[in-house]
Amino acid sequence: MNQPATIVRTGRKFSQVLEGARQIFLRDGFEGASVDDIARAAGVSKATLYSYFPDKRLLFMEVAQTECARMADRTLDLIDQTQPPRQVLTAAATRIVSFLLSDFAQRIFRICVAESDRFPELGRSFYASGPEMGRERMSGYLQQSIDRGELQIDDVTMAAEQFSELCKAKLWTRAVFGIQTEFSQAEIDEVVTHAVDMFMARYGV
């Protein structure tokens, strides 16, 4: 599983392979994940696995991209964006903070950092499907709010980046360094409230 190749995103077992790979990557990391274990977890043969993903790096990137895309969709697409900015941003921040603290996000982040020297494309892929996609979605919403006269922002891209960073305050650092592994809803709500308050204090009309 080390030949450059493309992904075959067709066939009824594609999602099955992705879910099996997700389980094994989170359990064993990128380097420790074996083809045999992934195939077993997915309930498919090695031949079937190879037919979809001839390269393990492509499989890992697809798992990360799929999960991050789901997160990006949940962050804004499922929120009524016609509501006032404070309400929309609070809902978005709650989803962002919860995702950042999730076992999946933490493990994938550590894998990308650990493998960044040997496989920099892993980090680039995770960034593109995670932070970058989230920034673009948030920028789109902020621009709509500006057009409606609800926010006053000169640099929308920077504002979207700032909002994301505000959501990382306090808890994310503790999670990354393994200082804290469980977080109450009250702790998450505290970060969300401060993030939205600070953002609105800077950009609210």
Side-chain angles (χ1 to χ4, degrees):
M1 222 180 195
N2 54 16
Q3 298 297 318
T6 56
I7 298 172
V8 179
R9 291 185 174 85
T10 59
R12 62 186 178 86
K13 294 188 176 180
F14 178 76
S15 297
Q16 199 172 319
V17 170
L18 276 186
E19 181 54 34
R22 182 183 188 277
Q23 295 174 25
I24 301 304
F25 282 134
L26 292 185
R27 188 189 74 185
D28 300 336
F30 176 79
E31 186 62 28
S34 74
V35 176
D36 288 331
D37 286 345
I38 292 174
R40 190 177 302 112
V44 301
S45 67
K46 287 175 65 175
T48 297
L49 180 60
Y50 281 122
S51 71
Y52 286 108
F53 296 95
D55 188 309
K56 188 168 76 170
R57 282 176 287 182
L58 289 176
L59 177 52
F60 175 81
M61 288 189 285
E62 185 71 14
V63 169
Q65 289 170 351
T66 298
E67 197 69 18
C68 288
R70 288 173 183 167
M71 172 56 196
D73 290 341
R74 289 194 296 266
T75 298
L76 284 177
D77 292 354
L78 300 182
I79 299 173
D80 183 357
Q81 297 183 34
T82 64
Q83 296 298 314
R86 181 175 291 275
Q87 184 172 330
V88 173
L89 293 174
T90 297
T94 300
R95 286 171 167 80
I96 292 171
V97 175
S98 297
F99 177 74
L100 290 173
L101 298 177
S102 70
D103 185 60
F104 173 86
Q106 288 292 312
R107 287 179 180 270
I108 291 296
F109 175 78
R110 291 190 180 100
I111 291 171
C112 288
V113 171
E115 302 292 340
S116 61
D117 287 340
R118 291 185 302 157
F119 305 127
E121 65 268 31
L122 294 182
R124 287 195 294 267
S125 176
F126 180 69
Y127 178 79
S129 59
E132 188 172 49
M133 181 183 294
R135 183 192 68 209
E136 290 175 356
R137 297 286 181 89
M138 181 57 66
S139 295
Y141 165 71
L142 294 179
Q143 187 58 58
Q144 292 175 23
S145 294
I146 294 168
D147 294 341
R148 291 194 295 261
E150 299 169 332
L151 296 173
Q152 188 170 15
I153 303 173
D154 293 328
D155 189 334
V156 173
T157 300
M158 176 59 75
E161 292 273 13
Q162 290 171 333
F163 185 72
S164 176
E165 292 303 311
L166 288 170
C167 291
K168 292 181 180 179
K170 189 177 180 178
L171 302 184
W172 185 78
T173 305
R174 294 183 184 180
V176 167
F177 289 104
I179 296 171
Q180 187 175 348
T181 58
E182 295 184 1
F183 304 89
S184 68
Q185 189 59 50
E187 289 177 303
I188 293 173
D189 290 343
E190 180 187 24
V191 172
V192 168
T193 298
H194 283 287
V196 175
D197 283 348
M198 184 168 289
F199 191 87
M200 292 300 296
R202 173 65 179 84
Y203 296 116
V205 174

